[in-house]
């Protein structure tokens, strides 16, 4: 996949699936406007099944009619941020579109508590869920919930964060972004906006989070192609706007000649913009800013000239999640990982495409 154009979607099997390691991150700041599921849905470029994929026959699970079954959705984080709001809304919207009765879609929210998410999933099963869609809080820790689903022969589709469990054994499949590729594309965008020269600070996501590892790896690997850009600082901002601002304030003092910031999510990027403005600098001009997410606040900043590029991490999983479940119930093989499309925003298109942001 080219890092300079929106990533094409591919179904990932075998070793390629290792590229997709984790899911989307915590974004605690709410959007300035209402956030909905509107905008392009996550979808796969090819629906061709893989011969070695997971099938209903392999699992031995009973066949389920989606339109009549109770379906559970386990959300991991509080819906006080644009990504989670859009993600949950896309699940609800797709269920309604398919004619699934409202009382057949059960939703829970773990409020960023792993133990609660395990309990939530078990509760969904106890309430009669025959199919599950799970947005995992962490890559590890949900095995007891998966074991409970397996015991009741309930297929589980995970979205936006890959788990360290076995597809087709502990869960059906993972649907999400290629976070290494997001890092590649962010580096290419920064190289373009800086003209290939400058001193870069990286605002890292949460320590130990696979999305942080992937977006950092992809960014650094791609940056090697632009020797005029050098990373002078890396510091964790925990995917949080206020922490991103605090970290940037410190970096401005220790590196007054800083000319670019790569933030591993929009919230930290927006925090960096606030810090740069407070320091009397001109973000988007004096200091280039590139991040990953696709929130409306960040895309609007590009349109306003205070930001340079955003690589989208698409939260609209509803259509593809239900489509995947239907294909499974139809007996078609399902790949262990499905990589989704992610758009990109820069000065050339942000004003026209801000309505697509979440």
């Amino acid at each position: 996949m080219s890092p300079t154009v929106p990533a094409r979607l591919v179904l990932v099997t075998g070793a390629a699936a290792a590229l997709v390691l984790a899911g989307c991150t915590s974004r605690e700041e709410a959007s300035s406007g209402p956030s909905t599921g509107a905008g392009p849905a996550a979808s796969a470029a090819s629906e061709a099944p893989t011969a070695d994929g997971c099938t209903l026959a392999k699992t031995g699970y009973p066949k389920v009619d989606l339109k009549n079954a109770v379906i559970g959705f386990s959300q991991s984080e509080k819906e006080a941020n644009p990504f989670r709001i859009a993600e949950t809304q896309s699940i609800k919207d797709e269920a309604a579109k398919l004619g699934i009765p409202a009382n057949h879609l059960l939703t829970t929210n773990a409020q960023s508590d792993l133990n609660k998410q395990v309990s939530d999933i078990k509760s969904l099963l106890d309430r009669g869920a025959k199919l599950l869609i799970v947005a995992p809080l962490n890559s590890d820790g949900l095995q007891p919930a998966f074991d409970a689903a397996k015991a009741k022969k309930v297929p589980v589709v995970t979205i936006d964060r890959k788990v360290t469990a076995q597809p087709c054994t502990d869960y059906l499949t993972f649907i999400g972004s290629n976070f290494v590729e997001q890092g590649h594309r962010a580096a290419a965008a920064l190289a373009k906006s800086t003209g290939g020269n400058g001193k870069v600070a990286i605002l890292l996501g949460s320590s130990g989070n696979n999305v942080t590892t992937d977006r950092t790896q992809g960014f650094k690997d791609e940056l090697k192609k632009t020797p005029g850009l050098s990373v002078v600082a890396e510091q964790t901002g925990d995917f949080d706007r206020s922490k991103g601002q605090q970290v940037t304030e410190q970096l401005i003092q220790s590196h007054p000649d800083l000319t670019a910031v790569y933030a591993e999510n929009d919230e930290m990027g927006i925090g960096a913009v606030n810090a740069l403005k407070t320091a009397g600098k001109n973000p988007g001009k004096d200091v280039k800013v590139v991040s990953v997410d696709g929130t409306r606040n960040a895309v609007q900043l590009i349109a306003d000239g205070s930001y340079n590029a955003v690589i989208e991490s698409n939260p609209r999983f509803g259509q593809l999640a239900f489509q995947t479940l239907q294909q499974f119930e139809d007996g078609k093989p399902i790949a262990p990982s499905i990589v989704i499309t992610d758009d990109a925003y820069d000065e050339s298109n942000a004003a026209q495409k801000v309505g697509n942001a979440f």
Side-chain angles (χ1 to χ4, degrees):
M1 287 182 283
S2 169
T4 59
V5 296
R8 293 178 63 87
L9 277 68
V10 295
L11 296 183
V12 181
T13 60
L19 286 174
V20 188
L21 298 175
C24 298
T25 56
S26 175
R27 305 162 185 82
E28 300 302 334
E29 295 292 336
S31 171
S32 58
S35 183
T36 70
S43 59
S46 171
E47 298 306 329
T50 58
D52 60 346
C54 191
T55 63
L56 194 64
K58 283 184 180 179
T59 63
Y61 287 5
K63 185 176 175 60
V64 173
D65 180 358
L66 261 69
K67 292 189 178 181
N68 294 314
V70 174
I71 301 169
F73 172 56
S74 170
Q75 177 59 274
S76 57
E77 297 174 353
K78 61 184 179 182
E79 288 158 6
N81 63 74
F83 183 95
R84 296 299 172 189
I85 294 170
E87 182 178 62
T88 297
Q89 192 62 47
S90 75
I91 300 294
K92 293 179 177 179
D93 288 348
E94 187 63 18
K97 180 180 176 182
L98 293 174
I100 295 170
N103 64 349
H104 280 201
L105 179 65
L106 308 179
T107 63
T108 60
N109 192 301
Q111 302 291 321
S112 299
D113 183 329
L114 182 62
N115 290 330
K116 184 177 186 307
Q117 186 162 40
V118 172
S119 297
D120 284 348
I121 294 170
K122 290 180 177 180
S123 172
L124 291 169
L125 293 167
D126 290 341
R127 292 163 65 189
K130 300 302 182 185
L131 302 161
L132 288 175
I133 301 169
V134 175
L137 178 62
N138 291 335
S139 297
D140 298 307
L142 289 180
Q143 193 62 47
F146 293 144
D147 290 343
K150 185 177 180 179
K152 292 193 174 186
K153 296 186 176 182
V154 173
V156 179
V157 167
T158 61
I159 58 175
D160 87 48
R161 181 167 292 154
K162 193 171 175 71
V163 293
T164 52
Q166 292 300 313
C168 201
T169 299
D170 301 311
Y171 66 101
L172 174 58
T173 187
F174 162 74
I175 303 172
S177 297
N178 183 327
F179 301 105
V180 173
E181 181 66 13
Q182 288 176 344
H184 288 166
R185 298 172 71 207
L190 195 65
K192 180 179 178 181
S193 66
T194 59
N197 292 287
K199 296 183 177 182
V200 185
I202 300 177
L203 300 185
L204 302 166
S206 301
S207 300
N209 188 307
N210 285 339
V211 69
T212 299
T213 302
D214 283 7
R215 286 178 180 168
T216 304
Q217 175 191 330
F219 182 81
K220 288 183 174 181
D221 287 349
E222 184 66 23
L223 208 67
K224 293 175 183 177
K225 300 177 182 178
T226 311
L229 284 173
S230 59
V231 176
V232 297
E234 301 176 46
Q235 196 163 332
T236 298
D238 286 328
F239 294 121
D240 179 81
R241 185 184 298 193
S242 61
K243 291 183 180 178
Q245 181 169 344
Q246 293 168 8
V247 167
T248 305
E249 289 169 351
Q250 296 167 7
L251 292 175
I252 291 170
Q253 294 181 2
S254 58
H255 299 277
D257 54 350
L258 191 68
T259 58
V261 171
Y262 165 51
E264 292 183 341
N265 81 337
D266 286 357
E267 286 303 303
M268 292 189 297
I270 294 169
V273 167
N274 293 339
L276 290 164
K277 288 181 176 179
T278 299
K281 295 184 181 292
N282 192 0
K285 303 293 190 299
D286 301 338
V287 180
K288 308 296 185 181
V289 181
V290 172
S291 64
V292 180
D293 256 349
T295 63
R296 187 156 307 182
N297 284 343
V299 177
Q300 186 61 55
L301 283 174
I302 300 175
D304 295 341
S306 297
Y307 220 88
N308 301 93
V310 170
I311 306 304
E312 182 190 50
S313 198
N314 196 334
R316 302 178 184 97
F317 296 98
Q319 180 178 334
L320 189 52
F322 281 99
Q323 179 181 324
T324 300
L325 285 170
Q326 185 62 65
Q327 289 174 338
F328 176 73
E329 295 301 333
D330 289 342
K332 297 178 181 178
I334 305 300
S337 292
I338 301 172
V339 177
I340 67 169
T341 187
D342 290 318
D343 204 350
Y345 304 90
D346 59 21
E347 293 97 328
S348 71
N349 64 18
Q352 292 75 30
K353 297 175 72 174
V354 67
N356 289 349
F358 53 86

